[in-house]
């Protein structure tokens, strides 16, 4: 049973009539025509930060509330009814399990009530929050993350325009049934495929291999494709008081010290490990052996991901040994190390075993 249905009305100027499956009635219903009510959840980040001069673009601090941010955007009263709430006010590097729980539970509650949600968020870990929400929330309504690369005090700060666009995107019925969205620098990007590609520039977010979903120009949203959710993503049901199992990430490099794996698995007792391998899954022979021995001994799943921003680690790249079982290793496909960590944590948390987790990862990227 499909979650939604899209009817293209005019191919020259694509407009879609979207039906969605109502969680209360279970039937396909048309997205309401009435002016939507959008709630903004403020979590902090550079968009809520202030520096001491107009040219300062590093070393600034979170110092604005969501109310301050809403005051920077033009009147939207003909587009939507707007509500806002400060749920956190931190740099996104400080987001861990507790903060993710605050965001998840608030979005889960509010998306039942309002027509769309906007989340203002730091850009450094936006990929992780977006990915987590994509797998744990099963919703048709738009959930749009935004932030900024320049603090509010900088010349040409990008925050107000990104926030404004995010609200307009969340208010548009063409934004339904597209999964988690990110509004940034005039682009609309799938939260699932989102990549932060540049540590400083405004044009940091992209999805090189998969493409943008649309853009925003002169107050018009232009989607390039009809609504669809990312391939293979199926919702995993978690508790509101979830506990994320500890999963570490090892970044591989020439001359890697294999003792790092002992440290993670035997000393830190992680429940899973992700490796940013070189190329499409390469690690030196002795490293592969160490990993197999430790993962077999302790039953710890190991994800082979990659250092490169794009491309894939296919199942065919995983190491094989005649004298060692290699059952606990999983290929990440296109999923980055930081997103692989999140997905493995969710899989472990909902009780999937290694074989089920392998199938889940394979379903997500479709590789072999
Ligand atoms: N320091 C910021 C953060 O909270 C970076 C940003 O938002 O651009 O992630």
């Amino acid at each position: 049973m499909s979650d939604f249905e899209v009817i293209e009305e005019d191919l020259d100027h694509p407009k879609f009539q979207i039906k969605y499956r109502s969680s209360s009635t279970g039937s396909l219903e048309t997205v309401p025509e009435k002016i939507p009510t959008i709630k903004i959840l403020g979590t902090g980040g550079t968009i809520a930060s202030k520096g001491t001069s107009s040219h300062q673009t590093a070393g600034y601090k979170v110092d604005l509330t969501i109310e301050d941010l809403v005051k920077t955007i033009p009147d939207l009263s003909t587009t939507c009814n707007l509500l806002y709430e400060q749920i956190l006010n931190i740099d996104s590097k400080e987001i861990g399990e507790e903060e993710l729980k605050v965001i998840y539970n608030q979005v889960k509650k509010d998306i039942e009530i309002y027509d769309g949600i906007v989340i203002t968020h730091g850009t450094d870990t936006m990929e992780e929050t977006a990915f987590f929400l994509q797998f744990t929330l099963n919703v048709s309504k738009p959930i749009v993350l935004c932030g900024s690369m320049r603090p509010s005090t900088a010349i040409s700060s990008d925050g107000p325009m990104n926030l404004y666009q995010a609200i307009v995107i969340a208010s548009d019925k063409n934004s339904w049934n597209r999964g988690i969205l990110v509004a940034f620098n005039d682009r609309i990007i799938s939260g699932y495929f989102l990549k932060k590609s540049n540590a400083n520039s405004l044009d940091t977010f992209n999805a090189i291999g998969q493409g943008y979903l649309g853009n925003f120009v002169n107050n018009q949203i232009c989607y390039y494709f009809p609504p669809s959710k990312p391939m293979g993503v199926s919702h995993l049901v978690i508790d509101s008081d979830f506990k994320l199992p500890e999963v570490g990430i090892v970044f591989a490099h020439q001359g890697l010290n294999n003792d790092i794996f002992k440290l993670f698995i035997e000393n830190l007792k992680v429940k899973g490990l992700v490796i940013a391998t070189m190329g499409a899954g390469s690690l030196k022979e002795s490293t592969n052996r160490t990993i197999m021995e430790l993962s077999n001994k302790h039953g710890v799943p190991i994800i082979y991901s990659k250092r490169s921003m794009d491309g894939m680690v296919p199942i065919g790249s995983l190491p094989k040994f005649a004298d060692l079982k290699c059952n606990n290793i999983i290929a990440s496909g296109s999923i980055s190390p930081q997103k692989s960590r999140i997905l493995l944590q969710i899989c472990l948390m909902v009780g999937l075993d290694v074989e089920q987790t392998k199938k889940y990862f394979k379903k997500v990227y479709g590789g072999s």
Side-chain angles (χ1 to χ4, degrees):
M1 188 166 62
S2 165
D3 271 354
F4 60 96
E5 184 179 288
V6 179
I7 303 154
E8 285 186 46
E9 286 175 339
D10 174 355
L11 281 179
D12 292 333
H13 305 280
K15 282 262 176 300
F16 310 102
Q17 192 200 325
I18 300 162
K19 293 190 169 183
Y20 71 101
R21 191 164 301 283
S22 154
S23 50
S24 47
T25 64
S27 58
L28 281 176
E29 293 178 13
T30 308
V31 176
E33 288 292 343
K34 65 174 174 48
I35 186 169
T37 300
I38 305 299
K39 182 160 176 193
I40 314 174
L41 304 177
T43 75
T46 295
I47 191 168
S49 296
K50 275 162 102 177
T52 51
S53 71
S54 61
H55 48 78
Q56 186 186 352
T57 57
Y60 43 78
K61 294 260 169 337
V62 172
D63 199 17
L64 288 178
T65 63
I66 191 63
E67 184 169 3
D68 298 327
L69 296 185
V70 171
K71 285 187 190 144
T72 65
I73 57 166
D75 175 39
L76 275 164
S77 56
T78 56
T79 306
C80 61
N81 305 307
L82 210 52
L83 289 94
Y84 52 84
E85 184 173 345
Q86 191 80 57
I87 56 168
L88 298 169
N89 213 11
I90 52 176
D91 193 289
S92 74
K93 68 184 176 215
E94 303 295 344
I95 296 182
E97 180 180 271
E98 282 316 308
E99 294 73 23
L100 210 47
K101 210 179 277 183
V102 169
I103 299 172
Y104 166 80
N105 283 311
Q106 192 70 44
V107 176
K108 189 164 187 234
K109 179 168 146 241
D110 286 341
I111 199 68
E112 290 293 323
I113 307 168
Y114 306 109
D115 301 301
I117 303 291
V118 169
I119 308 170
T120 57
H121 195 290
T123 62
D124 289 345
T125 68
M126 193 182 284
E127 289 163 290
E128 284 151 89
T129 300
F131 197 77
F132 182 84
L133 296 178
Q134 178 68 70
F135 280 93
T136 53
L137 293 170
N138 188 19
V139 289
S140 292
K141 295 177 186 174
I143 298 172
V144 187
L145 284 93
C146 70
S148 77
M149 290 298 284
R150 290 188 182 145
S152 63
T153 39
I155 307 164
S156 304
S157 170
D158 48 334
M161 186 57 110
N162 287 344
L163 175 58
Y164 173 76
Q165 294 184 353
I167 298 166
V168 178
I169 291 164
S171 305
D172 192 308
K173 65 176 187 168
N174 285 308
S175 302
W176 284 52
N177 290 307
R178 292 181 184 270
I180 304 295
L181 298 174
V182 172
F184 219 95
N185 206 36
D186 300 336
R187 298 318 193 323
I188 309 169
I189 313 156
S190 153
Y192 171 73
F193 289 118
L194 186 74
K195 292 182 187 100
K196 184 170 182 181
S197 66
N198 190 303
N200 322 98
S201 86
L202 273 57
D203 201 15
T204 185
F205 283 116
N206 59 40
I208 298 275
Q210 299 78 23
Y212 298 112
L213 300 184
N215 74 350
F216 194 109
V217 173
N218 199 23
N219 215 19
Q220 298 260 320
I221 297 170
C222 169
Y223 277 112
Y224 306 143
F225 315 99
S228 80
K229 288 189 178 168
M231 190 67 191
V233 174
S234 58
H235 171 224
L236 288 163
V237 181
I238 62 167
D239 284 348
S240 55
D241 194 23
F242 60 79
K243 179 102 201 77
L244 290 171
E246 178 133 19
V247 172
I249 300 179
V250 174
F251 193 93
H253 52 83
Q254 288 184 345
L256 179 66
N257 183 337
N258 292 337
D259 287 346
I260 193 87
F261 297 99
K262 259 188 153 194
L263 189 72
F264 268 106
I265 294 174
E266 296 194 334
N267 296 44
L268 296 176
K269 302 195 185 330
V270 292
K271 300 289 177 282
L273 200 57
V274 176
I275 309 169
T277 67
M278 295 166 277
S282 13
L283 294 173
K284 63 185 176 184
E285 279 307 279
S286 67
T287 301
N288 279 326
R289 281 200 163 267
T290 304
I291 290 167
M292 278 348 118
E293 283 161 6
L294 285 166
S295 73
N296 288 344
K297 184 165 164 205
H298 299 279
V300 172
I302 315 275
I303 309 290
Y304 275 53
S305 183
K306 69 219 152 49
R307 301 193 312 192
S308 320
M309 185 172 280
D310 268 297
M312 294 190 132
V313 177
I315 292 171
S317 283
L318 295 177
K320 293 171 199 69
F321 292 102
D323 58 331
L324 267 177
K325 283 200 287 179
C326 302
N327 296 350
N328 293 327
I329 52 172
I330 301 168
S332 76
S334 61
I335 307 172
S336 67
Q338 61 273 31
K339 290 182 188 172
S340 296
R341 173 181 162 273
I342 298 266
L343 185 55
L344 181 57
Q345 285 181 309
I346 303 173
C347 288
L348 288 165
M349 188 163 67
V350 301
L352 302 191
D353 64 21
V354 178
E355 289 311 313
Q356 291 167 320
T357 303
K358 274 183 198 169
K359 284 201 189 115
Y360 206 86
F361 268 82
K362 185 167 186 300
K363 192 164 66 148
V364 165
Y365 82 87
S368 58

